[in-house]
Amino acid sequence: MQPVVSVIIPTYNREKYIQKALDSVLAQTYQRFEIVVVDDGSTDSTRTMISAYKESVHYLYQENQGISKARNAGIRNCHGDYIAFLDSDDYWLPEKTELQIALLQKHPEYGMAASRCASVRLDGSFREKNRPGTSGWVLENLFQANFIRTSAAIIRRECFDRVGLFDEELKECEEYDLWLRIAAHYPVGFINRSLAVYVDNAEGVSIDSLSGRLYRLKVLEKEYLKRKIPSKMYGKRIANTCHYIGRHYLAKGDRAMGRNYLIKAQRLNPLYIKNILYLGLSLVI
């Protein structure tokens, strides 16, 4: 039977986590799916662990090339009309696929469907509700703050033909970039119920790091967003991102680079009081 949903799971040295991810897919109440695991050059026992699932999993191996290329390889080698992503250290709740497919079938205009995520912190504590979202034409909402986790998204295959795959030049924020491109062309469905669980991982990437914020700025400054986002909103969001990049550089002791970003933030948002304070601080420390 032709799968309706292709579940793409990129992985790299996640032997301790991927079994829970796979089992959560196999336990879905909606069963018309295929699982494609793209192993991005693991050196641990990931391959051996996945082999135990036999024909339940289509396994692809590639030399380590990064998360965007791994997900794109999965997209190119799957067969479903809908494509879902699951990071190999996250997992799904049983009704996730069923509820999202029902939403997409009810609203054929939606390019993608997402849901809220719960999260498990490093100390083992469970957070039931992360950032809420909204349905419809959400580009402006999404531009102001990303409310979609990768493991909570299902996308119509046709979207990739229109907006392209993951940007392989981005080492971080690649999923945010894709959501924005989709939201620029399609309305989006959102279920304000936690249907996926994000696991905080000490080996994972922090979007609040200097590197994460620099990649976010690269995403937000793409030319099409300058045309589609109201100028005042655009300036405030870019200014806020530059402000925190500037603070990161100051914390690292690079006053010149920090000052450059703080000056850029002030030019974009002249009434940014917090930025004025840090800009002044950059001149005296």
Side-chain angles (χ1 to χ4, degrees):
M1 183 181 294
Q2 178 78 8
V4 174
V5 180
S6 296
V7 182
I8 296 175
I9 305 178
T11 191
Y12 176 71
N13 288 346
R14 290 291 187 268
E15 62 181 3
K16 294 185 293 184
Y17 306 99
I18 195 169
Q19 183 176 352
K20 188 164 189 174
L22 289 168
D23 289 347
S24 76
V25 179
L26 294 171
Q28 292 293 292
T29 56
Y30 185 94
Q31 285 286 305
R32 290 191 62 186
F33 60 79
E34 64 174 349
I35 301 174
V36 180
V37 172
V38 184
D39 187 343
D40 191 36
S42 292
T43 57
D44 61 3
S45 299
T46 294
R47 184 194 294 264
T48 301
M49 182 168 290
I50 293 171
S51 67
Y53 287 85
K54 298 180 180 178
E55 68 278 358
S56 297
V57 175
H58 179 41
Y59 176 80
L60 299 174
Y61 180 87
Q62 64 179 29
E63 295 300 322
N64 185 255
Q65 299 177 62
I67 190 71
S68 291
K69 288 189 176 182
R71 289 193 185 119
N72 286 345
I75 294 168
R76 294 187 182 104
N77 287 277
C78 69
H79 306 91
D81 295 325
Y82 304 92
I83 298 175
F85 299 100
L86 176 58
D87 288 347
S88 56
D89 45 3
D90 297 342
Y91 59 93
W92 289 347
L93 300 183
E95 292 182 297
K96 176 186 180 293
T97 310
E98 181 179 359
L99 292 174
Q100 288 183 311
I101 290 299
L103 180 62
L104 286 165
Q105 291 177 342
K106 182 179 179 180
H107 292 276
E109 73 276 15
Y110 287 172
M112 66 183 291
S115 74
R116 289 177 83 161
C117 255
S119 62
V120 178
R121 300 185 181 94
L122 290 174
D123 63 6
S125 59
F126 192 81
R127 183 182 180 191
E128 173 58 29
K129 294 181 179 179
N130 283 320
R131 185 174 291 164
T134 187
S135 296
W137 289 97
V138 300
L139 178 62
E140 292 182 14
N141 307 72
L142 201 57
F143 179 81
Q144 293 184 87
N146 183 16
F147 52 83
I148 299 175
R149 290 276 191 187
T150 310
S151 295
I154 293 184
I155 301 170
R156 292 187 193 275
R157 177 181 285 277
E158 68 185 60
C159 289
F160 295 103
D161 296 329
R162 187 169 184 181
V163 309
L165 304 182
F166 287 95
D167 184 342
E168 296 181 358
E169 297 298 315
L170 298 171
K171 306 303 180 187
E172 301 175 42
C173 294
E174 72 292 330
E175 76 294 342
Y176 186 30
D177 173 66
L178 180 60
W179 310 157
L180 288 166
R181 283 187 278 130
I182 291 172
H185 292 89
Y186 299 89
V188 169
F190 196 90
I191 299 171
N192 271 297
R193 172 180 166 187
S194 295
L195 298 175
V197 179
Y198 171 81
V199 179
D200 285 331
N201 189 329
E203 301 171 0
V205 172
S206 171
I207 59 170
D208 293 327
S209 66
L210 174 57
S211 175
R213 292 187 189 277
L214 285 168
Y215 275 109
R216 184 189 301 163
L217 182 62
K218 187 173 183 179
V219 168
L220 295 174
E221 288 188 323
K222 286 195 173 183
E223 202 60 40
Y224 77 98
L225 289 170
K226 296 178 184 177
R227 298 192 303 270
K228 288 182 172 290
I229 301 298
S231 58
K232 187 174 181 180
M233 179 186 297
Y234 182 86
K236 283 187 174 181
R237 175 67 158 139
I238 300 299
N240 187 63
T241 304
C242 289
H243 169 78
Y244 283 100
I245 291 172
R247 286 173 59 173
H248 271 288
Y249 277 116
L250 291 182
K252 290 166 63 72
D254 191 337
R255 285 198 296 168
M257 189 67 78
R259 192 180 303 118
N260 286 342
Y261 278 97
L262 294 172
I263 289 171
K264 180 176 180 179
Q266 206 63 45
R267 286 173 176 166
L268 288 166
N269 184 9
L271 299 179
Y272 197 164
I273 303 302
K274 182 165 51 174
N275 192 75
I276 292 173
L277 295 174
Y278 276 91
L279 186 54
L281 185 65
S282 74
L283 298 172
V284 297
I285 59 173

